[in-house]
Amino acid sequence: MHIPDGFLDSKTAVATGVLAATGLSVALRQARVHLPPRRVPLLGLAAAFVFAAQMINFPVAGGTSGHLVGGVLAAVLLGPSPAVVVVSAVLIVQCLMFADGGLSALGANILNMGVLGAVGGWAIYFAVSRMVKGLFGCVLAAAFAAWCSTVLGSIACAGELAVSGTVGWTVVLPAMAGIHMFIGVGEGFITALVLVAIARARPELLQPQAPVASTRSYGAVLIYGGLIALGLALFASPFASSWPDGLDRTAEALGFREKTANPLLPAPLPDYRMPGMHWSVLSTSLAGGVGTIVVFVLAWLLARVLVPKANRIEEAGPPRSP
Amino acid sequence: MRHDFLDRYSRLRSPVHRLPAPLKLATALVLVVVVVLLPPEGRSFLGAVAVFLLAVAGLSRIPWRFLVLRLMLLEPFVLGVAILALFQPGGGRLFLFLVAKCTLCLLIMVLLSNTTPFAELLRVLKAVRVPALLVTTLSLMYRYLFVLVDEAQRMRRARMSRTFTTQRTPAWHALATVVSQLFIRTTERAERIYGAMCARGWR
């Protein structure tokens, strides 16, 4: 999901850069104010951990392999603001040291995987784990949130590519979201397995997020919420409404590459295309909705299998007592 | 596992390596921005940039084989996205243009990271007032990256030498245990590092 240099035009790169810089500076401020000094080195170490964990390959069918992305895992273990710093550090090092993800697309990558992926994923995790208590709820919520954050990041990535006029919206969205719906299942599965293994060995490590969560300020929540809403509104809404026309026109007015998007419209079936597109929008949304429900059920089953019943009752105690 | 898989050649001696880091970072940034913003008509300029980069690569004494391998390693990501451009009318030329642009940008970044030690890049970031917490995080990350990769590798080797299964489910369980152990060791190491930092007068 790392966008290389050259796929984003200037308006998208600047817009994502501003959003990412705002998110990162809020996260840094939150971490500086609320993170105890004892845990400051953990930020750097956790970033190194995410980088090292990404190099451990999990075998998937047919000789291919996948690896953990780790945004939601970091958010669950460290809290949302430290997770944004950690994911951003990983992305910066990958960009500067490995040329993985472009320099001009750094903002977009931080926005997709740091702000949308980690904070968005953490919000879903927080909501679900509030509803279902104990380790069972924690594992269920983390698996579901990991899937959601992967898909959310890929949709935003597709939106950025489409708004840049690099590739058509109707081509890039199904491709990106479709692939990442499967990748997300793996991500959720690994996240759940790792959390269960950590809970078995050092259950107290799963709790430090509680004080972080309780001391967060409403201003940060507002800014994060605003950033996620703005990011989705800018880069995911063309999918649901007639925005592409408006954006194409802006691009034309500003003199950006319009030639690539134009030939689609004077096609032989100008009237047929819009209903067709609406149909595809509807069916894609429907598929997305059904997929989300299926994944939630899968996460539920996974958490059921991974967390034994005796353990579930035993583990339900500690989070309530402190 | 080699330690220097990231910036293997950043400590060579050459005219390019001796240039000040701020200059190199600024040049890379400007070049990337110019290449990215280039309209399709400016194809000849891409050629000029390519010649400049090849000259820099020649001067820097980085082995050509390494550069080609690194580019080949990163190219699938570019092709994966660029291939989507083929699915629209007139996509062929756009595809070629995109691939050329992206490859040049990759070459710029690979050259930057292999001619400049990361510590010097961090010094530049510090000088341009990037928040101290982020710089601390980045420098700690770079310092312990290799340690943790080694640690993961050691645990993986230990597991491989003790388990013989090729089935998928136990493998995933075992790998997840490796990742979780890595995180636990990471937190323990972070606490030791904090103690060491305090002992040396940090803050």
Side-chain angles (χ1 to χ4, degrees):
Chain A
M1 218 197 298
H2 291 64
I3 306 176
D5 277 317
F7 287 128
L8 298 183
D9 63 5
S10 55
K11 67 173 189 307
T12 318
V14 170
T16 52
V18 169
L19 288 180
T22 318
L24 184 54
S25 60
V26 171
L28 283 168
R29 239 187 72 103
Q30 284 295 105
R32 209 176 52 225
V33 174
H34 295 301
L35 206 67
R38 192 171 52 80
R39 285 170 72 83
V40 167
L42 186 57
L43 287 182
L45 270 280
F49 157 75
V50 170
F51 196 100
Q54 287 184 351
M55 303 185 82
I56 297 176
N57 282 319
F58 286 72
V60 190
T64 55
S65 63
H67 67 78
L68 184 71
V69 180
V72 169
L73 186 64
V76 170
L77 290 169
L78 305 171
S81 294
V84 174
V85 179
V86 164
V87 174
S88 305
V90 171
L91 290 170
I92 292 171
V93 167
Q94 279 174 339
C95 166
L96 286 180
M97 292 276 83
F98 204 70
D100 189 8
L103 194 60
S104 65
L106 190 58
N109 287 329
I110 290 182
L111 180 70
N112 296 346
M113 281 175 268
V115 178
L116 285 175
V119 179
W122 184 83
I124 293 166
Y125 165 78
F126 188 70
V128 177
S129 67
R130 267 287 166 94
M131 284 186 278
V132 192
K133 291 280 178 202
L135 182 62
F136 173 73
C138 170
V139 171
L140 159 76
F144 183 60
W147 183 82
C148 289
S149 94
T150 312
V151 175
L152 203 65
S154 77
I155 290 176
C157 175
E160 282 145 19
L161 291 175
V163 168
S164 299
T166 312
V167 275
W169 183 248
T170 41
V171 176
V172 71
L173 181 87
M176 288 292 288
I179 292 170
H180 283 88
M181 278 186 176
F182 287 102
I183 295 178
V185 170
E187 172 79 6
F189 201 59
I190 302 175
T191 306
L193 285 174
V194 171
L195 277 180
V196 168
I198 291 178
R200 207 177 293 141
R202 290 276 301 269
E204 73 275 12
L205 283 181
L206 285 180
Q207 282 161 21
Q209 26 124 5
V212 173
S214 63
T215 52
R216 75 199 189 286
S217 68
Y218 287 100
V221 173
L222 270 181
I223 295 177
Y224 280 143
L227 280 176
I228 290 175
L230 203 60
L232 287 181
L234 282 178
F235 302 115
S237 67
F239 169 59
S241 68
S242 57
W243 261 50
D245 292 350
L247 275 167
D248 279 347
R249 231 159 267 154
T250 337
E252 191 179 26
L254 291 171
F256 290 118
R257 203 182 310 132
E258 172 69 357
K259 286 149 238 151
T260 56
N262 230 354
L264 278 174
L265 294 177
L269 330 150
D271 286 335
Y272 187 69
R273 209 184 141 270
M274 278 320 274
M277 194 193 146
H278 273 302
W279 172 241
S280 84
V281 163
L282 194 68
S283 61
T284 315
S285 314
L286 205 65
V290 171
T292 311
I293 295 168
V294 167
V295 165
F296 189 80
V297 173
L298 278 179
W300 186 284
L301 291 176
L302 180 68
R304 244 202 141 93
V305 171
L306 287 179
V307 184
K309 197 147 200 176
N311 205 357
R312 226 178 291 159
I313 297 160
E314 181 200 317
E315 289 290 340
R320 275 182 209 145
S321 50
Chain B
M1 187 84 200
R2 278 202 321 268
H3 283 123
D4 48 357
F5 58 92
L6 278 177
D7 50 349
R8 269 186 94 174
Y9 294 101
S10 64
R11 283 164 195 83
L12 288 181
R13 280 155 187 271
S14 82
V16 183
H17 286 79
R18 270 195 293 276
L19 289 175
L23 177 71
K24 280 184 277 189
L25 188 59
T27 315
L29 191 62
V30 168
L31 273 180
V32 164
V33 168
V34 167
V35 169
V36 166
L37 292 184
L38 208 63
E41 294 79 43
R43 255 177 240 114
S44 49
F45 186 75
L46 284 186
V49 175
V51 170
F52 171 72
L53 290 178
L54 291 180
V56 170
L59 271 178
S60 68
R61 295 185 202 146
I62 300 171
W64 292 102
R65 196 164 162 269
F66 168 80
L67 283 180
V68 172
L69 280 180
R70 181 53 66 89
L71 283 183
M72 301 263 276
L73 191 68
L74 293 165
E75 205 67 28
F77 299 104
V78 171
L79 291 178
V81 183
I83 222 146
L84 292 174
L86 280 178
F87 288 98
Q88 48 197 2
R93 303 185 75 179
L94 181 66
F95 173 76
L96 286 180
F97 183 63
L98 273 179
V99 171
K101 263 165 99 166
C102 295
T103 311
L104 280 185
C105 289
L106 285 182
L107 189 58
I108 295 170
M109 294 311 288
V110 170
L111 281 176
L112 173 72
S113 64
N114 281 290
T115 56
T116 322
F118 192 63
E120 293 192 14
L121 287 181
L122 283 180
R123 220 164 282 149
V124 179
L125 292 187
K126 206 171 183 177
V128 296
R129 300 283 173 90
V130 172
L133 186 60
L134 188 62
V135 177
T136 311
T137 302
L138 283 172
S139 47
L140 275 173
M141 177 187 174
Y142 185 67
R143 168 66 183 81
Y144 287 99
L145 188 67
F146 307 100
V147 179
L148 291 189
V149 169
D150 266 0
E151 191 141 31
Q153 209 68 20
R154 275 202 301 279
M155 287 195 283
R156 218 179 97 83
R157 201 178 306 130
R159 182 186 65 81
M160 299 284 269
S161 60
R162 286 164 178 79
T163 53
F164 304 97
T165 176
T166 51
Q167 281 177 328
R168 215 159 279 141
T169 347
W172 274 54
H173 261 287
L175 284 171
T177 316
V178 169
V179 175
S180 73
Q181 275 302 320
L182 189 64
F183 179 76
I184 291 168
R185 292 183 188 195
T186 304
T187 51
E188 285 167 358
R189 192 184 285 278
E191 272 162 28
R192 287 204 303 278
I193 291 167
Y194 177 68
M197 280 159 75
C198 288
R200 285 160 181 77
W202 186 62
R203 292 216 167 171

